[in-house]
Structure formats: structure tokens, C-alpha cells
């Protein structure tokens, strides 16, 4: 699903009612909504305004309960700012939930936080798959998909479908006149297809649309098959990408000759073991940016770049 969701929770819930009705009419069993569905996303990733942080909610908040009630038998994934007391301290997490009318089926706190997001949200600590009525599912939140280890961890945990909820904007340092030509637009699509193909899973990618402060979101929601082929997609505007997929059949077909997970050679991946700590941030080292739109040239605090080691 590609759609715009802002701070107004009442408006968001009214919008969700229509979206869920449309999805049900289309025969959808799994609906993946954007990151920050309830309460919206940040308005500035370089220097977030503490007074403009999305409202903190929790799983028992009436807004989440309302989404559960709307979902009924449908499996719905949504994002929100989670407020939680950890070790006696009030903390905020960028969180995704998977729910239906029976309750919360799974949850994920965003692990990888780009740029100024780390000034607002604490980091999650793991990727774990869980069982749902539509199969074993794994959740990621936008920048998480930049890291292949995240999706691979979920696939190795048995996830057949990976749902990535995003609030992924266009580049803020090198804006293109048209969104489809934006550098971040190309990366967004590249990661979606690569993560599906390398893990041979069904990938469902959602995103925000429209504008929030200085951020212009890309849209481009899609369903990708286990061969990396896009089965359905939206444009930069709001819309629903709907695909009918026999998950078990498609995974078996994709893995019949080449089974990427089974054919890994873990003992050969010495670099993963030798470099299990964070790499130093060096400006322009890989030419790749994340959803912060910084293109890898800005420091983690939104400055002009990291200090030399």
C-alpha cells in the first residue's frame, strides 16, 4: 500500500477504514500499510524538531485496537511510534505490528536508524519471524532493507513472506525534478527486488506518499516474487498493489534447482565473523545512501560529514 499518513490519528483511522474495505473487496488476505501509519513520520531527518515528534502509542492504545477491529480476519501490518518504559526510562521506537481481529501476531522495532532518526528513536535488537494465517512472516522497516543481513536473518528463521514498511523519501541532497528519476527511487526498487531474489521469498513493500515537512515520499509500493520479478506496483501516488500469490508453490518453484538458503557456505564468509562490529563511517565510501536521502555524505548527526578517524 502506498498512502500518506500524518499526525491526525482520527483522520488516519477514517482513511484506514476505507482502505481496509477496498482491500477486503479485492480479496486481500495480507495488507501491508506504510511505516508510521498511526501518527505519521518525522518532518526532518537531519535536525528533527523535538516538538514535532509523532505521538507515542502502545499495543493497547485504542488506535491500535481500532485497527485490529477493522482487520477482522485479514492480516494487517502497520507502523507507529511505540512508547515504552525500558530500564526505568521512557523510550520511543519506530515499530511495526502485524495484527488481525484475534490480536497482535508479531512485532518489530526498527534496528537500523538513518541520520537524525537516531536522535528520536531507540534501536530494536533483533529480526524474528512469526506464524500468521497467511504463512510465516517477517517484518522490516525501511532502512532495515538496506542491510542484506536483516532480510537473510528472517528468511533463515523460516519467513516465507517479508513485509517491509517504509517512510522512504526522495533524496534531500540531490533532488531530481521527477520522482521516478530520483536516486533514492532507484535504490528503493533495487533493494525490494534484490532482497526478494537473494532470499527467494515473497516481498511486500509499502511506503508513504506526499510530503511531511522537508521530506517528499516516494510511494512505489509493490509485491515482488521470489525470483525478483515485480508482480504488482503503484506509482508515486497513493494506491494499492494487489497480487495473487500461492506462496508455497512459488517458493518451491523458485528453489527447485537453486536453493539459495540451503546452498550457503557459512564457513567461507570469514569477513562476516571478523568484522562483526560497526564499520567506520567514511564520506562517499560506497556511493549509496539510505532513506535519509543523505547519499552517504552526511554525518550521523546531520552535519556535513563525519570527522576523520
Amino acid at each position: 500500500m502506498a498512502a500518506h499518513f500524518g499526525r491526525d490519528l482520527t483522520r488516519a483511522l477514517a482513511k484506514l477504514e476505507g482502505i481496509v474495505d477496498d482491500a477486503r473487496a479485492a480479496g486481500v488476505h495480507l495488507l501491508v500499510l506504510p511505516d508510521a501509519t498511526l501518527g505519521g513520520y518525522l518532518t526532518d531527518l537531519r535536525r528533527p524538531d523535538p516538538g514535532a515528534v509523532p505521538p507515542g502509542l502502545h499495543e493497547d492504545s485504542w488506535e491500535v485496537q481500532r485497527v485490529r477491529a477493522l482487520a477482522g480476519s485479514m492480516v494487517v501490518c502497520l507502523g507507529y511510534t511505540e512508547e515504552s518504559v525500558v530500564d526505568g526510562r521512557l523510550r520511543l521506537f519506530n515499530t511495526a505490528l502485524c495484527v488481525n481481529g484475534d490480536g497482535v501476531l508479531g512485532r518489530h522495532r526498527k534496528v537500523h536508524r538513518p541520520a537524525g532518526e537516531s536522535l528520536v528513536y531507540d534501536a530494536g535488537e533483533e529480526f524474528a519471524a512469526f506464524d500468521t494465517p497467511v504463512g510465516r512472516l517477517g517484518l522490516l522497516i525501511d532502512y532495515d532493507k538496506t542491510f542484506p543481513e536483516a532480510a537473510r536473518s528472517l528468511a533463515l528463521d523460516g519467513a516465507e513472506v517479508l513485509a517491509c514498511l517504509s517512510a522512504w523519501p526522495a533524496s534531500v541532497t540531490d533532488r531530481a525534478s521527477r520522482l521516478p528519476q530520483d536516486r533514492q527511487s532507484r535504490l528503493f526498487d533495487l533493494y525490494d527486488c534484490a532482497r526478494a531474489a537473494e532470499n527467494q521469498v515473497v516481498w511486500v513493500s509499502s511506503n508513504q506518499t506526499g510530503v511531511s515537512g522537508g521530506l517528499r515520499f516516494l510511494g512505489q509500493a509493490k509485491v515482488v516474487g521470489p525470483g525478483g520479478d515485480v508482480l504488482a506496483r503503484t506509482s508515486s501516488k497513493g494506491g494499492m498493489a494487489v497480487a495473487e500469490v500461492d506462496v508455497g508453490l512459488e517458493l518451491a518453484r523458485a528453489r527447485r534447482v537453486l536453493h539459495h538458503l540451503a546452498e550457503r557456505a557459512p564457513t567461507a564468509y570469514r569477513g562476516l565473523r571478523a568484522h562483526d562490529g560497526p564499520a567506520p563511517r567514511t564520506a562517499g565510501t560506497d556511493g549509496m545512501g539510505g532513506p535519509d536521502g543523505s547519499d552517504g555524505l552526511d554525518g550521523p548527526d546531520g552535519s556535513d560529514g563525519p570527522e576523520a578517524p
Side-chain angles (χ1 to χ4, degrees), residues 4-7 40-44 208-217:
H4 177 70
F5 290 94
R7 293 287 182 271
Y41 190 58
L42 304 177
T43 57
D44 188 333
Q208 289 264 4
T209 60
V211 175
S212 177
L215 303 178
R216 180 178 56 159
F217 298 111

Side-chain angles (χ1 to χ4, degrees), residues 39-40 54 65 88 97 101 129 131 141 164 168 205 223 228 236 258 277:
Q65 300 306 310
L97 288 179
D131 295 319
I141 301 175
C164 187
W168 192 299
S205 175
V223 180
S236 59
L258 299 176

Side-chain angles (χ1 to χ4, degrees), residues 270-293:
R270 296 176 58 187
L272 293 180
R273 299 195 305 275
H275 303 286
D276 57 359
R281 291 187 60 138
T282 304
T285 53
D286 59 8
M288 297 183 67
D292 57 343

